[in-house]
Amino acid sequence: MSHQRPLAPIVFHRSGPMSCPYLDGLVEQQLFMELGGPNAQDTFEHLSQFGFRRSHHIVYRPTCRDCQACIPVRIRVADFEDKRRYRKTRNRNDDLSMSDVGQMATQEQYRLFSRYVRSRHGDGDMAGMTIRDYSNLVVASPVDTRLLEWRRDDGKLMATCIADRLRDGYSAVYSFFDPDEDRRSLGNHMILSLVDLAKRTGKPFVYLGFWVPGSPKMDYKAGFRPLEGYTRGGWQEIDDPARWAAIVRCKAD
């Protein structure tokens, strides 16, 4: 699928060194640009083809001097392998209904978001976010961003995903769910729902951000097949995650 090139020049910046959020003892740097103006969607669509990720009005990609462990990944929807464990996840959540609520950020979502962040990332920056900060994740987005909700039959909100809608797919920006419902595998269920949504709307990919071999909190992404990773050679299928992990092993190792 072709993507329109942005009409304005793209100006990139390089961040200063920061502690790596994925691998202990390493330093991260990012290549980034500020997204805005009438061509924001086209610019984002163009950069997403080169493995860039969006947060608020910033589009970025790690560009670390001594490490290439962060691999942008996407699921190829048409050939998705609906494995037995994923069918079990669907069955465990067959009482949930998904709805697209546009950019309607609510107090109910924020309460669920706060519970999730405190239980999973209590020592991170997101733990101190106010409802205004949460709303800005969606409302201040310069691109086509949607809030997807999953509710039980009785109306209880169980999970929410902030997703960017692209010409060629959906990009999962941030997801959160009821931390007391581990048995449901709600994180995986949201990804499965995005795969189903992409199929229904004729979009070929679901973008999952970065897969980092060796980071336990990223391992789940490697289970979705077929998974494509972006390298200097473009998008390629990750047919053997162990081989890919060896290819991108940090020089620091």
Side-chain angles (χ1 to χ4, degrees):
M1 181 176 292
S2 63
H3 291 263
Q4 180 177 338
R5 282 182 169 272
L7 300 178
I10 299 176
V11 179
F12 289 104
H13 307 276
R14 186 188 294 272
S15 73
M18 303 171 286
S19 176
C20 177
Y22 304 119
L23 299 174
D24 292 339
L26 296 180
V27 174
E28 176 191 50
Q29 283 190 285
Q30 294 178 356
L31 188 69
F32 70 94
M33 60 90 64
E34 297 187 35
L35 198 61
N39 299 316
Q41 182 75 25
D42 285 331
T43 300
F44 178 48
E45 301 246 3
H46 179 67
L47 291 177
S48 70
Q49 294 303 296
F50 298 92
F52 281 80
R53 182 85 166 147
R54 185 191 68 82
S55 177
H56 295 83
H57 64 289
I58 298 296
V59 180
Y60 68 96
R61 195 177 75 185
T63 177
C64 307
R65 297 182 185 276
D66 297 323
C67 183
Q68 295 82 43
C70 293
I71 306 171
V73 292
R74 66 188 187 185
I75 300 170
R76 194 168 69 238
V77 168
D79 304 316
F80 178 67
E81 299 175 12
D82 205 359
K83 300 176 183 177
R84 182 173 180 269
R85 70 173 181 269
Y86 295 143
R87 293 195 297 272
K88 291 174 66 175
T89 297
R90 293 179 191 276
N91 291 336
R92 283 195 295 267
N93 292 285
D94 63 0
D95 61 329
L96 302 185
S97 299
M98 187 190 78
S99 59
D100 181 340
V101 298
Q103 294 189 335
M104 188 174 66
T106 66
Q107 285 274 2
E108 183 184 25
Q109 294 166 7
Y110 174 68
R111 288 193 296 269
L112 183 60
F113 169 82
S114 296
R115 285 181 57 212
Y116 174 82
V117 171
R118 286 196 303 269
S119 69
R120 301 297 176 100
H121 312 289
D123 58 347
D125 294 339
M126 299 186 84
M129 288 178 63
T130 66
I131 188 169
R132 182 186 294 271
D133 297 329
Y134 167 73
S135 297
N136 281 338
L137 289 175
V138 180
V139 177
S141 168
V143 299
D144 186 2
T145 301
R146 320 293 293 182
L147 276 164
L148 305 175
E149 293 183 340
W150 285 260
R151 292 181 180 272
R152 277 191 335 208
D153 293 339
D154 62 5
K156 181 181 179 182
L157 180 65
M158 300 296 290
T160 303
C161 178
I162 302 170
D164 291 335
R165 188 163 56 181
L166 310 174
R167 293 186 186 95
D168 71 343
Y170 289 89
S171 176
V173 178
Y174 192 78
S175 301
F176 53 94
F177 51 84
D178 190 329
D180 297 328
E181 295 282 349
D182 283 341
R183 182 181 171 278
R184 285 180 176 267
S185 301
L186 286 164
N188 283 339
H189 182 67
M190 284 188 278
I191 294 174
L192 295 172
S193 298
L194 284 177
V195 170
D196 293 342
L197 179 61
K199 282 184 178 180
R200 290 198 303 270
T201 55
K203 296 180 184 293
F205 301 110
V206 171
Y207 291 82
L208 298 181
F210 302 110
W211 170 52
V212 183
S215 175
K217 61 184 178 182
M218 294 289 185
D219 285 345
Y220 72 94
K221 296 183 182 182
F224 291 94
R225 303 289 183 86
L227 191 70
E228 296 182 349
Y230 185 82
T231 67
R232 292 178 181 176
W235 292 98
Q236 302 174 42
E237 184 171 341
I238 301 177
D239 51 351
D240 183 351
R243 182 177 66 84
W244 274 66
I247 290 172
V248 301
R249 182 171 295 131
C250 297
K251 295 178 184 177
D253 290 347

